[in-house]
Amino acid sequence: MALTRRDFIKVVGIGAFAATTGCTKLSEFMDEGAVSVPPNGVEKWIPSVCGQCSGGCGIIARVIDGRVVKIEGNPLSPINRGTLCARGQAGLQVLYDPDRIRAPLRRVGDRGSDRWREIGWDEAIGEVAERLNGIRRKGIPHKVAMISGSERGSMDLLLCRFMEALGSPNYFLMPDDNDDIQIDAISVMQGIKGRPLFDISRARYILSFGSPLIETFSSPVQTMRMYGEFRGGNGKMRGRLVHISPRLSVTGIKADRWVPLRPGTEGVFALGIAHVIIKESLYDRDFISSHTSGFDGFREILLKEYTPSYVSKITSLAEDRTIEIAREFASFRPSLAIANRCRLYDQMAIHSLNALIGSIGKRGGIIFQSAPGPYALPLSERAIAMTPISGSPYTLSEAIRNGSPYSLEALLIYNCNPLFSLPDMHEASRGIPFIVSFSPFMNETARTADLILPNNTYLENWGDVLSHTAEGTAIGIRQPVLKPIYRTMQTGDVILRIARNMGGDIEKSMPWGSFKDALFYSLRQLRKRKGEVFGISKGLRGEEEFLEAMLAGGGYREPSDYQRPGEFDFHQVTSPQAVRDYKKGLSGGDEKDYPLYLNIHRLSTHSGITDYNQPYLKESLTPEIPEAWDSWVEINPETGKRRGISTGDMVVVESQAGRIRLRARLYQGIMPDVVSIPFGLGEAGLGRWNKNIGVNPEKILVKDIDLPSGNLIRNSTRVRIYRADG
Amino acid sequence: MAKWVMVIDLDKCTACQACVVACQVENNIPIAGPDETERQRIIRWMEIIPFIYGEYPDVRMRLLPRPCMQCDNPPCTKVCPVRATMLGPEGIVAQIYPRCIGCRYCTSACPYTVKYFNWHTPSWPEEMRNSLNPDVSVRPAGVVEKCTFCIHRLQKAREKAAAEGRQLREGDYIPACVQTCPSCAMYFGDSENPKSIVSDLIKSPRAFRLLEEIGTEPKVYYLSEGQ
């Protein structure tokens, strides 16, 4: 595809025109007195770990006289090998965010009134300890819940331990935005709980079923590095990528082929591919006979029911498409089928393709590493009698609202924004008498809290992040690159101080003076293991030298113990319940009243799990759509034309659950009966760069929980769309 | 004399925009905000430009990272009335801010639209000024700016090599965008050095340059997708 001068002028010429012909008063650009840059000085590079997502990239911060002026990737980290993504690069806008919470706050007005008073740390910690002790004394400690952002390291263990010591089973990990893989299917079909690793770099063919593979997947920088290798880096043969999804995403654009597919038909399409592979005997006989069960029954049902003509009827794709993709998938081995974390049975159908061609437990396929990580803080011995209030964070709001199985007395929220990213939490939060937030930012959730005990930002904190690569396991060590710039405190230290204040058993089970002590306790144990410090393999004498070297290099790594993949169970893919689900499709409203499906897509710059009061990211939301500083809804030009909608028009998108207003963007890369809105904006924070910026499409999701997995189904909501003025 | 060249492998590029943000942080690019962005006055020395071909369902897109092409025959320098923009000895097109009178002839002349005008005195909230890079000056209102291939990094790398009593080595000097690229899709080096990676890559049958036919002789090469 040649890029002509005409193409180029067409696309970029508009911007140039505007820039050179804008009519402006002279005074606007004649003002003097540019900003002076603080002076140069002694430069230090301090290794740490990025905190913009849970991917665990090693970073090095360039510090000059106590100012942090740049973040780069740590070349010694096996996760990112010296590189960093856009979010990682924008990290200084987290640290120097002018709208950070600078001291502990007590709410003085009604919830949501945004009226606060600064208080001292002793008062804040004392009050939390007293309230929790009060609840304990009443014998109802299970009525305290905590929601924590996904962290893979000692902080997670410390919080878990605190909740156990308190006597509550209600420690919830926020679903990880990057866990967009068939993790539920793997757990059900193979009995494996650990985190699988997709060996993308060595695969030759990838079938992505709507996966945000190169936007935000697993550990994003690591995935992008593997993608570079997949495309022929390191002297390998170039791999081929096919993306199947209702929307042409960045992954779809970079793919060799985009196959638009109706929402909710992924499972059937995958089974159609499986049909062809079986019919043409392209499957891996050895793997199937030695590592799977139930294949004969699976084969029989597939051959009978999921013929290309049936699949074509359900998916509206030509029969040849299915056949062609099946042949490619089976012949370019090793190949990988990657699913979104959608309905369990769809995940299972897609994952069965990996089993058919034996891409499980081998290079270029899905690798399983021993889990959990190589070290841990010992958990407390205390047994907890009560069952959790909810099995999944997605059903938490319902349980709280109904007070069933019981109500909540207190909710502690760490490193996440559940009012933004879990359904119906706003309403549920009203029934909780005591809400404590540890957020460093005034986000939607913090705004409802009674007390805010602001955490430091990641560049001011201690911590560790456990990650897996195809070569092994790594623990990145986060160390402060500067002292806290405000009156904030590392939440790990706050939790230990609350425990001390509460006294008794809780104090005894949290014996560390500071979070740093707890962290170093964990890190010292690594010395007995077989791994090595980043950059140094041998010759370290004594514990202190080992610790020092780890801090200087940024972490520790060790080769993996590969887990056997576990027997793959084909039975469940074609169980009566599964078949019912495939046939049922999606149900998120009446087709007549709501003729379009709502698709919610991911942006590489905004995960939606934390706060993005970061202007550089708001300016460069996504490369394929020239929009910034606002949300938009993508509409196929045909669909827009029929409704009199053009790019830039304000439109209303309405579902059974509600309606939102936003700007329309006609896009050739969206199916005619689907509209798509990006996720991550509309955080309802109070920062100057996220206040009133964009809308959150999840506010109009018709709540649809996939019962077998507890997942929130995000692509089943039906909507209608019309001009806001019409 | 070195000749600095950038190569971008579009097959490996994930259009993640790490290069865009890395450049903004490194080079003290002002924050535009919603209004100035709407008026197309946003400054991005490195930008990903989308091209769309065809109609649904046969639609193809291309995402092209676009820095300054550092032309060997730059149209922008020829129209500058005050020699505020000129071709440097190692092929980097320089922008001399104190000389610039803000006429924006160069902005119009550049076929790649890489030249940006400062409509305002850039400002940062007080808290954020600590993050400014002391190696790069902040440009005043009324001047044009663009990608410099992070030439301040070349100066530092040279000083360091001199202090260590050695020649500049391959990899000593790379711009911020290349350094951060997660999929390792970007390469940078001296094309006059036959041992450099870039001197190999630019001979690849996949290599092309933007608007080569107009004779600007860009020093940014792309490796095409799909091969």
Side-chain angles (χ1 to χ4, degrees):
Chain A
M1 198 158 38
L3 192 67
T4 65
R5 178 175 164 80
R6 201 177 145 73
D7 287 333
F8 200 82
I9 298 298
K10 226 163 46 188
V11 178
V12 300
I14 304 151
F17 181 79
T20 50
T21 58
C23 178
T24 301
K25 285 192 298 252
L26 263 180
S27 60
E28 247 185 273
F29 55 84
M30 289 301 282
D31 52 352
E32 290 288 318
V35 174
S36 62
V37 181
N40 227 322
V42 181
E43 170 182 288
K44 276 191 295 188
W45 289 89
I46 303 175
S48 193
V49 179
C50 186
Q52 291 267 50
C53 80
S54 52
C57 290
I59 56 173
I60 43 173
R62 183 180 177 212
V63 183
I64 296 175
D65 294 339
R67 307 187 311 269
V68 193
V69 299
K70 188 79 204 284
I71 303 171
E72 301 287 0
N74 179 355
L76 299 178
S77 165
I79 309 294
N80 54 317
R81 302 185 191 171
T83 70
L84 220 49
C85 74
R87 275 185 262 169
Q89 281 288 349
L92 295 180
Q93 296 190 336
V94 179
L95 175 68
Y96 292 121
D97 177 349
D99 304 314
R100 277 177 63 180
I101 299 171
R102 303 180 181 203
L105 297 177
R106 175 195 299 286
R107 186 167 50 74
V108 291
D110 294 336
R111 277 195 183 158
S113 66
D114 294 323
R115 290 175 51 218
W116 304 88
R117 187 164 57 82
E118 282 197 8
I119 56 174
W121 273 105
D122 289 344
E123 185 183 340
I125 287 168
E127 179 162 344
V128 176
E130 200 186 305
R131 290 289 289 253
L132 295 182
N133 256 344
I135 296 168
R136 261 184 111 214
R137 272 196 298 273
K138 281 194 243 163
I140 47 169
H142 58 280
K143 294 194 170 187
V144 180
M146 180 182 272
I147 309 177
S148 163
S150 179
E151 288 221 10
R152 305 165 191 165
S154 298
M155 188 58 192
D156 176 40
L157 295 166
L158 188 89
L159 294 174
C160 193
R161 188 185 171 91
F162 176 73
M163 292 304 282
E164 276 188 17
L166 191 68
S168 170
N170 291 312
Y171 177 61
F172 294 96
L173 273 183
M174 198 67 183
D176 190 336
D177 60 304
N178 296 322
D179 255 340
D180 272 326
I181 43 173
Q182 61 261 38
I183 201 163
D184 310 290
I186 290 167
S187 148
V188 170
M189 301 172 98
Q190 298 179 250
I192 287 180
K193 285 271 180 258
R195 226 189 127 67
L197 195 115
F198 289 70
D199 192 6
I200 291 162
S201 41
R202 285 184 279 230
R204 278 189 63 206
Y205 190 87
I206 294 176
L207 261 188
S208 151
F209 287 84
S211 152
L213 188 67
I214 57 178
E215 289 98 328
T216 174
F217 180 87
S218 188
S219 177
V221 175
Q222 191 192 160
T223 307
M224 286 192 265
R225 192 246 306 152
M226 291 197 285
Y227 174 83
E229 290 170 4
F230 167 77
R231 287 305 203 180
N234 283 355
K236 290 190 195 75
M237 190 186 282
R238 180 180 185 278
R240 194 170 153 75
L241 170 66
V242 173
H243 186 68
I244 300 158
S245 162
R247 176 180 184 267
L248 181 63
S249 62
V250 177
T251 302
I253 291 167
K254 298 309 278 191
D256 298 280
R257 182 197 281 177
W258 170 51
V259 181
L261 186 74
R262 286 169 57 190
T265 63
E266 300 91 338
V268 172
F269 187 53
L271 293 178
I273 294 171
H275 170 102
V276 177
I277 292 174
I278 293 172
K279 193 168 174 211
E280 302 191 357
S281 291
L282 301 171
Y283 53 92
D284 184 333
R285 276 164 220 283
D286 290 345
F287 183 83
I288 285 175
S289 61
S290 58
H291 289 90
T292 70
S293 62
F295 179 67
D296 291 340
F298 175 76
R299 177 172 61 191
E300 198 181 312
I301 293 178
L302 246 65
L303 287 180
K304 206 170 95 208
E305 299 199 10
Y306 293 90
T307 58
S309 70
Y310 170 74
V311 170
S312 166
K313 209 176 80 200
I314 300 285
T315 61
S316 315
L317 284 176
E319 289 179 32
D320 292 352
R321 263 294 147 87
T322 315
I323 296 169
E324 193 184 345
I325 288 175
R327 286 177 184 161
E328 284 179 5
F329 181 74
S331 49
F332 286 103
R333 291 188 213 167
S335 44
L336 265 174
I338 304 178
N340 237 321
R341 204 169 176 192
C342 49
R343 296 191 304 172
L344 176 68
Y345 294 119
D346 287 333
Q347 289 183 43
M348 285 167 55
I350 293 162
H351 188 46
S352 69
L353 295 175
N354 292 314
L356 273 181
I357 49 135
S359 268
I360 288 177
K362 63 172 74 144
R363 289 175 152 234
I366 303 172
I367 304 175
F368 299 92
Q369 279 150 330
S370 54
Y375 76 105
L377 285 181
L379 290 175
S380 90
E381 298 288 308
R382 202 186 171 93
I384 292 167
M386 294 300 291
T387 52
I389 181 170
S390 157
S392 144
Y394 291 120
T395 45
L396 190 59
S397 59
E398 215 169 297
I400 296 172
R401 254 197 346 236
N402 301 338
S404 162
Y406 44 80
S407 59
L408 282 187
E409 292 291 323
L411 178 64
L412 313 176
I413 299 156
Y414 168 71
N415 195 25
C416 59
N417 190 358
L419 264 63
F420 175 75
S421 45
L422 289 180
D424 305 332
M425 277 301 282
H426 249 289
E427 219 187 313
S429 71
R430 288 190 201 116
I432 305 171
F434 187 51
I435 299 178
V436 178
S437 164
F438 298 101
S439 174
F441 311 103
M442 198 54 95
N443 61 31
E444 198 164 351
T445 306
R447 287 170 70 186
T448 65
D450 300 289
L451 280 179
I452 302 177
L453 280 61
N455 193 0
N456 298 332
T457 60
Y458 65 91
L459 292 167
E460 301 156 304
N461 264 348
W462 287 99
D464 53 349
V465 183
L466 176 76
S467 316
H468 297 292
T469 70
E471 291 76 31
T473 301
I475 294 170
I477 299 174
R478 179 175 296 148
Q479 59 183 313
V481 306
L482 79 173
K483 289 205 188 81
I485 48 184
Y486 302 119
R487 220 151 53 76
T488 56
M489 197 187 290
Q490 169 139 28
T491 304
D493 288 336
V494 175
I495 292 288
L496 289 171
R497 282 185 61 183
I498 291 172
R500 266 207 298 285
N501 233 299
M502 291 177 75
D505 282 355
I506 296 188
E507 185 180 10
K508 273 187 221 131
S509 49
M510 312 284 285
W512 300 283
S514 68
F515 178 71
K516 186 184 164 191
D517 291 348
L519 175 70
F520 279 24
Y521 170 86
S522 291
L523 296 178
R524 283 201 175 91
Q525 295 178 45
L526 295 172
R527 196 169 156 253
K528 298 169 210 140
R529 301 181 59 97
K530 60 190 169 175
E532 60 192 41
V533 169
F534 286 0
I536 304 174
S537 56
K538 283 191 190 73
L540 293 171
R541 286 185 305 267
E543 223 166 52
E544 290 316 303
E545 209 175 292
F546 176 75
L547 210 54
E548 254 169 52
M550 267 200 294
L551 294 177
Y556 164 91
R557 63 196 286 180
E558 64 177 40
S560 287
D561 283 327
Y562 292 105
Q563 215 180 336
R564 287 184 53 80
E567 187 164 276
F568 185 92
D569 184 5
F570 275 110
H571 283 112
Q572 312 196 41
V573 188
T574 43
S575 70
Q577 201 187 350
V579 169
R580 240 191 342 267
D581 250 37
Y582 302 134
K583 298 228 162 105
K584 193 177 74 184
L586 298 173
S587 52
D590 181 24
E591 191 175 341
K592 222 171 100 234
D593 289 343
Y594 301 99
L596 305 167
Y597 273 112
L598 173 66
N599 182 69
I600 295 177
H601 65 271
R602 299 250 172 220
L603 302 174
S604 58
T605 51
H606 282 65
S607 73
I609 204 154
T610 171
D611 305 271
Y612 289 98
N613 190 37
Q614 299 166 39
Y616 282 156
L617 299 182
K618 285 281 186 304
E619 284 176 4
S620 300
L621 290 171
T622 190
E624 77 279 25
I625 302 288
E627 290 279 357
W629 296 102
D630 203 357
S631 297
W632 65 93
V633 52
E634 292 166 11
I635 308 167
N636 185 287
E638 275 302 310
T639 311
K641 202 167 139 196
R642 261 183 279 134
R643 288 166 172 76
I645 295 170
S646 314
T647 292
D649 290 349
M650 280 306 282
V651 295
V652 175
V653 182
E654 185 178 332
S655 78
Q656 273 172 0
R659 63 176 76 133
I660 50 178
R661 274 166 60 99
L662 68 179
R663 271 195 295 181
R665 159 76 49 182
L666 301 186
Y667 182 44
Q668 295 286 359
I670 186 86
M671 294 182 77
D673 53 353
V674 181
V675 295
S676 195
I677 303 176
F679 180 67
L681 290 96
E683 303 131 293
L686 291 186
R688 67 194 69 183
W689 295 295
N690 64 7
K691 190 177 179 179
N692 302 325
I693 300 282
V695 293
N696 181 2
E698 299 211 337
K699 299 282 178 210
I700 59 164
L701 275 190
V702 176
K703 198 164 157 192
D704 181 6
I705 304 287
D706 178 49
L707 290 176
S709 66
N711 287 341
L712 177 69
I713 305 303
R714 290 188 164 90
N715 66 347
S716 63
T717 297
R718 287 188 156 275
V719 294
R720 59 173 165 236
I721 185 165
Y722 48 89
R723 289 173 60 113
D725 57 11
Chain B
M1 191 72 74
K3 183 170 166 180
W4 301 106
V5 161
M6 186 184 289
V7 180
I8 303 173
D9 187 339
L10 296 174
D11 216 12
K12 289 188 188 176
C13 170
T14 63
C16 71
Q17 305 194 92
C19 51
V20 176
V21 180
C23 169
Q24 291 175 304
V25 180
E26 177 79 15
N27 292 298
N28 300 334
I29 306 283
I31 298 157
D35 296 342
E36 290 300 287
T37 305
E38 180 91 42
R39 297 164 90 177
Q40 309 246 22
R41 290 175 176 181
I42 183 171
I43 296 177
R44 269 183 297 205
W45 292 4
M46 172 60 114
E47 187 173 8
I48 309 234
I49 299 178
F51 296 87
I52 190 157
Y53 306 88
E55 287 180 5
Y56 178 87
D58 301 311
V59 52
R60 284 296 291 173
M61 280 185 86
R62 250 184 161 184
L63 302 169
L64 204 84
R66 188 243 39 201
C68 170
M69 298 293 135
Q70 311 292 354
C71 306
D72 263 350
N73 184 19
C76 60
T77 59
K78 301 187 175 67
V79 296
C80 180
V82 292
R83 285 181 61 75
T85 181
M86 55 216 276
L87 189 64
E90 294 181 29
I92 295 175
V93 177
Q95 199 75 28
I96 302 153
Y97 310 123
R99 274 192 208 164
C100 177
I101 54 169
C103 69
R104 289 171 282 150
Y105 287 3
C106 62
T107 314
S108 307
C110 172
Y112 306 102
T113 69
V114 305
K115 297 214 149 186
Y116 295 88
F117 183 62
N118 281 279
W119 291 88
H120 304 281
T121 300
S123 67
W124 282 264
E126 191 57 38
E127 295 86 345
M128 277 188 168
R129 285 178 52 180
N130 277 335
S131 68
L132 293 176
N133 182 357
D135 302 333
V136 178
S137 62
V138 169
R139 285 72 63 188
V143 307
V144 170
E145 60 178 74
K146 69 161 190 76
C147 159
T148 63
F149 265 3
C150 287
I151 195 167
H152 56 282
R153 289 184 169 213
L154 173 60
Q155 283 155 5
K156 283 182 81 176
R158 262 219 176 100
E159 283 164 18
K160 187 159 180 264
E164 290 168 9
R166 59 174 174 84
Q167 296 284 308
L168 206 61
R169 283 190 296 248
E170 164 109 342
D172 277 354
Y173 160 45
I174 50 169
C177 54
V178 178
Q179 181 175 359
T180 208
C181 180
S183 57
C184 303
M186 299 175 82
Y187 304 84
F188 190 81
D190 174 9
S191 66
E192 298 288 287
N193 173 3
K195 286 186 200 139
S196 69
I197 298 170
V198 292
S199 63
D200 249 9
L201 289 174
I202 62 178
K203 288 181 217 130
S204 156
R206 289 166 59 210
F208 71 93
R209 292 179 289 177
L210 285 181
L211 312 182
E212 227 162 341
E213 67 278 13
I214 61 175
T216 49
E217 292 175 44
K219 285 191 287 296
V220 175
Y221 291 76
Y222 295 87
L223 302 178
S224 63
E225 288 161 283
Q227 290 165 44

